[in-house]
């Protein structure tokens, strides 16, 4: 059996990575990744890859028994009837997706619909997301509501050992408080003609300076923003946008700072505090993308709009509110560390 994987257009990460690692070493399986040459270094030694923007990628997809992707596979290929295409997607949607978005570049959604038409199985991370995914993608095929394989590691018995290894790799002192900054992307910024530089709205150097030497700020930009938004170099501030997988960063983070990113739903599994830096809330909600629910009403942590407010909140984090527990019940009920098992069982693997 041949399985072909694609994550974020050629990275080694996310739900496909979790499945691949579980199946590693099975001699009956021929496993192959579509890889972006710029990210080849993150793939383990001896992993079989083909360049994602090549004829080899199309040939691999057309010969696969199973394709497992976490986003649209933007490769021109004809899917055989015998191939099972599993779309895991890559996050619980707060932001509207696909046909539900408020704005998209002309022709983009029509092009991505060609990929949606190939899907045989769509993974949903929780009951709340299932109708949103169905409606956004206009998808009426099989949905497997199982949680996310990528999050199994957060519940693993040896999670603390992985966390210690990641802290060592990132050279983080044991006593340091780790702040993970993981914002999402803005459609109107990313799709500007000419791909200009996009300055971050948060002054990360000032944030790091104000928090002091006992804090380390890890900046994790969205894959569509990597390389587009410069991150300054200074002690206590690390650009981890090219770290292979954000799941490792969740394990070492003491607090998550995000905005409208689906990282909030994954990080909620840890039970650790979150702060929401929503400097452009009205614009993003009302004209850029739109939301499926009221973030301010449901956010499991403080919602702030300025750098000053963010620093003050991080210095005096409140105890978990009742909304955190309710948020976990709504969005993390299936995250028990066995999502990968459930997917493999469905695939007969």
């Amino acid at each position: 059996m041949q399985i072909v994987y694609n994550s974020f257009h050629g990275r080694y990460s996310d739900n496909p990575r979790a499945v691949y690692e579980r199946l590693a070493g099975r001699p009956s399986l021929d496993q192959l990744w579509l890889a972006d040459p710029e990210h080849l270094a993150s793939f383990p030694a001896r992993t079989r890859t083909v360049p994602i923007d090549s004829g080899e990628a199309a040939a691999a997809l057309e010969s696969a028994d199973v394709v497992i992707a976490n986003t649209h596979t933007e490769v021109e290929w004809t899917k055989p009837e015998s191939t099972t295409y599993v779309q895991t997607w890559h996050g619980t949607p707060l932001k509207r997706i696909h046909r539900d978005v408020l704005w998209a570049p002309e022709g983009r959604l029509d092009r991505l619909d060609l990929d949606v038409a190939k899907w045989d199985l769509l993974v949903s991370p929780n009951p709340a997301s299932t109708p949103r995914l169905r409606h956004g993608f206009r998808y009426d095929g099989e949905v497997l509501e199982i949680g996310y394989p990528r999050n199994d590691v957060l519940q693993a018995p040896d999670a603390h050992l992985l966390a210690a290894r990641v802290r060592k790799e990132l050279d983080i002192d044991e006593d340091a408080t780790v702040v993970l900054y993981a914002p999402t992307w803005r459609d109107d910024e990313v799709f500007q003609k000419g791909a200009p530089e996009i300055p971050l709205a948060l002054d990360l150097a000032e944030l790091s300076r104000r928090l002091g030497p006992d804090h380390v700020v890890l900046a994790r930009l969205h894959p569509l923003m990597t390389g587009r938004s410069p991150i300054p170099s200074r002690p206590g501030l690390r650009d981890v946008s090219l770290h292979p997988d954000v799941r490792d960063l969740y394990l070492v983070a003491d607090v998550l700072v995000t905005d409208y990113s689906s990282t909030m739903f994954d990080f909620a599994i840890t039970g650790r505090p979150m702060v929401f830096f929503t400097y452009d809330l009205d614009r993003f909600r009302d004209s850029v993308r739109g939301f499926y629910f009221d973030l301010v009403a449901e956010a499991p942590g403080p919602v702030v709009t300025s750098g000053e407010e963010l620093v003050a909140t991080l210095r005096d984090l409140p105890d978990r509110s009742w909304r955190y527990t309710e948020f976990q019940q709504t969005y993390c009920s299936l995250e028990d560390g066995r999502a990968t098992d459930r997917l493999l069982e469905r695939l007969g693997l």
Side-chain angles (χ1 to χ4, degrees), residues 41-209:
S42 67
F43 287 80
R46 295 182 294 280
T47 302
R48 293 186 60 235
T49 66
V50 295
I52 190 165
D53 295 316
S54 71
E56 292 174 88
L61 290 164
E62 291 174 358
S63 65
D65 296 293
V66 179
V67 174
I68 299 177
N70 81 330
T71 189
H72 300 287
T73 301
E74 298 188 58
V75 174
E76 290 189 18
W77 65 294
T78 301
K79 187 174 87 70
E81 289 187 10
S82 60
T83 300
T84 299
Y85 184 173
V86 180
Q87 177 57 252
T88 71
W89 204 236
H90 52 264
T92 291
L94 159 64
K95 302 172 297 186
R96 294 189 190 185
I97 52 174
H98 202 58
R99 290 292 173 181
D100 288 346
V101 300
L102 299 180
W103 175 87
E106 185 177 354
R108 174 174 168 78
L109 300 182
D110 291 337
R111 176 169 52 81
L112 296 179
D113 276 340
L114 299 176
D115 183 67
V116 177
K118 297 182 175 78
W119 299 354
D120 296 298
L121 181 64
L122 174 62
V123 173
S124 172
N126 48 66
S129 293
T130 299
R132 295 165 184 169
L133 292 168
R134 278 199 179 280
H135 190 268
F137 291 121
R138 306 300 192 260
Y139 173 80
D140 60 4
E142 182 181 355
V143 172
L144 193 62
E145 207 174 84
I146 57 169
Y148 268 154
R150 70 183 185 196
N151 289 333
D152 288 350
V153 69
L154 302 180
Q155 306 274 34
D158 61 349
H160 64 291
L161 298 177
L162 176 57
R165 191 185 79 199
V166 174
R167 287 184 81 103
K168 185 175 181 180
E169 289 173 355
L170 296 175
D171 193 25
I172 300 173
D173 291 342
E174 288 186 9
D175 297 332
T177 297
V178 179
V179 178
L180 174 61
Y181 177 54
T184 192
W185 59 291
R186 276 79 178 151
D187 307 58
D188 56 344
E189 293 179 343
V190 166
F191 294 121
Q192 290 180 75
K193 291 182 179 180
E197 184 177 291
I198 305 170
L200 290 175
L202 180 62
D203 187 336
L204 290 174
E206 179 66 7
L207 174 68
S208 175
R209 187 187 69 79

Side-chain angles (χ1 to χ4, degrees), residues 269-290:
I269 299 167
T270 71
R272 297 174 196 150
M274 290 184 266
V275 183
F276 297 84
F277 178 60
T278 60
Y279 65 92
D280 61 348
L281 176 63
D282 293 345
R283 188 181 74 88
F284 194 98
R285 180 193 60 212
D286 299 336
S287 61
V288 175
R289 179 67 80 89

Side-chain angles (χ1 to χ4, degrees), residues 296-317:
V296 175
E298 296 190 33
V303 177
V304 302
T305 58
S306 70
E308 287 283 337
E309 204 177 353
L310 176 59
V311 170
T313 302
L314 289 173
R315 283 177 169 168
D316 187 24
L317 283 171

